[in-house]
Amino acid sequence: MNKARWITAAIGGLAMAATFPPFPSAAAEIRSQWLSWGRFRTWVGGGPLQDTNRGRDGGSRGSGLCLIAPGDGETIWTLEPLLILQGDLNSTTLYVVDNEGADDEDLVDGQTSDGGGTEQADPFWTAPLTPDKTFVVIQPYGGDPLQPGTIYEQQIEGFALDGRVFSSRRFPFQIMPEGEERDQIATDLAQLEADLVHDDLDAEAIALAKAEFFFERNLNADALGLLFSVDKPSMDLAKTRQTLVEAICG
């Protein structure tokens, strides 16, 4: 994909979102800060939104699948990710590729591999996909928590432009391994969540604050998952999400 093009488009859309009337209460401050032009200009100019591991499969505008989060080969922190895609899609399936980095005692039944790669492994979770009117799919992972240190692959089945069913190539992602970095993120996130509860914020403001937390740590899929997790987004968040999808998927 043209990285510069989607970065520029995202800046423009987010700047527009920042012009909406302020929200009342403490949530207004979070939204104002989070959607500010200066902050996003810094992020997309050389930060977390400048990655290249998400976009259309094969880079073609006419292809039937756009990967938004997790990206191809991306490392994520959460054990229950939100899968965000665009396309005329039918189902998604997860496979274990390599669990050598996971503790044996933590492995969940079904989330095992035989060391021979995904050609021999059986899927351990699958879900039907229902795109919205813009062909965006927001699918929560609904199985047992994924395991730190394990590499997974997501295979998406959908429909080509001519109506034929296709199965994409599989896209790997990894859960951040156990260790100091993961533990520190958990500690910092717990403190942030305690502060947010104390401020009595609504669900959207909490999601925005936590998304910023993950963006600042370059955990882009985790941040995008929070942006798209809000069930009934405000007008400015809805426009932000639409702008991001259009910029990433082209």
Side-chain angles (χ1 to χ4, degrees):
M1 93 180 58
N2 187 322
K3 178 169 63 179
R5 177 172 56 80
W6 89 262
I7 290 172
T8 302
I11 292 177
L14 294 165
M16 288 177 61
T19 66
F20 279 85
F23 289 76
S25 75
E29 183 177 356
I30 287 181
R31 290 184 173 93
S32 176
Q33 292 176 352
W34 204 89
L35 296 172
S36 69
W37 163 261
R39 178 164 295 185
F40 269 99
R41 181 173 58 189
T42 298
W43 284 351
V44 301
L49 295 183
Q50 204 175 27
D51 52 36
T52 58
N53 59 359
R54 65 193 82 252
R56 289 213 170 272
D57 183 14
S60 170
R61 183 181 178 86
S63 64
L65 168 66
C66 177
L67 197 64
I68 299 174
D72 188 4
E74 192 164 17
T75 296
I76 62 178
W77 183 85
T78 182
L79 304 180
E80 298 177 274
L82 195 67
L83 309 176
I84 312 169
L85 308 153
Q86 188 188 50
D88 190 5
L89 306 176
N90 181 52
S91 66
T92 183
T93 302
L94 293 187
Y95 298 79
V96 173
V97 178
D98 182 3
N99 54 25
E100 291 184 2
D103 292 335
D104 290 343
E105 62 184 20
D106 293 332
L107 291 177
V108 176
D109 289 345
Q111 290 189 34
T112 58
S113 69
D114 58 10
T118 56
E119 292 303 319
Q120 292 80 28
D122 292 326
F124 66 89
W125 180 81
T126 187
L129 300 178
T130 305
D132 66 13
K133 63 182 180 181
T134 62
F135 293 102
V136 173
V137 175
I138 302 173
Q139 175 62 52
Y141 166 70
D144 292 317
L146 302 181
Q147 299 302 308
T150 299
I151 299 174
Y152 297 91
E153 281 187 341
Q154 179 183 196
Q155 179 172 301
I156 303 100
E157 183 178 272
F159 303 93
L161 295 179
D162 60 5
R164 292 181 296 108
V165 175
F166 75 89
S167 291
S168 76
R169 66 183 179 88
R170 296 173 180 175
F171 299 95
F173 65 91
Q174 182 177 20
I175 305 299
M176 180 182 291
E178 297 284 6
E180 183 177 351
E181 181 181 10
R182 183 176 187 87
D183 292 345
Q184 188 62 56
I185 290 171
T187 299
D188 294 344
L189 182 61
Q191 181 59 58
L192 173 62
E193 290 173 336
D195 293 341
L196 294 173
V197 170
H198 180 268
D199 290 337
D200 193 27
L201 301 173
D202 60 44
E204 180 171 312
I206 291 173
L208 291 175
K210 291 169 70 173
E212 178 183 4
F213 172 90
F214 283 107
F215 268 135
E216 289 177 342
R217 288 157 178 77
N218 205 32
L219 290 165
N220 308 339
D222 295 277
L224 289 169
L226 285 158
L227 287 184
F228 284 84
S229 69
V230 179
D231 288 335
K232 297 180 179 179
S234 61
M235 184 179 295
D236 54 350
L237 179 56
K239 285 183 174 292
T240 296
R241 295 189 339 187
Q242 180 182 358
T243 297
L244 287 169
V245 170
E246 291 174 351
I248 293 170
C249 297

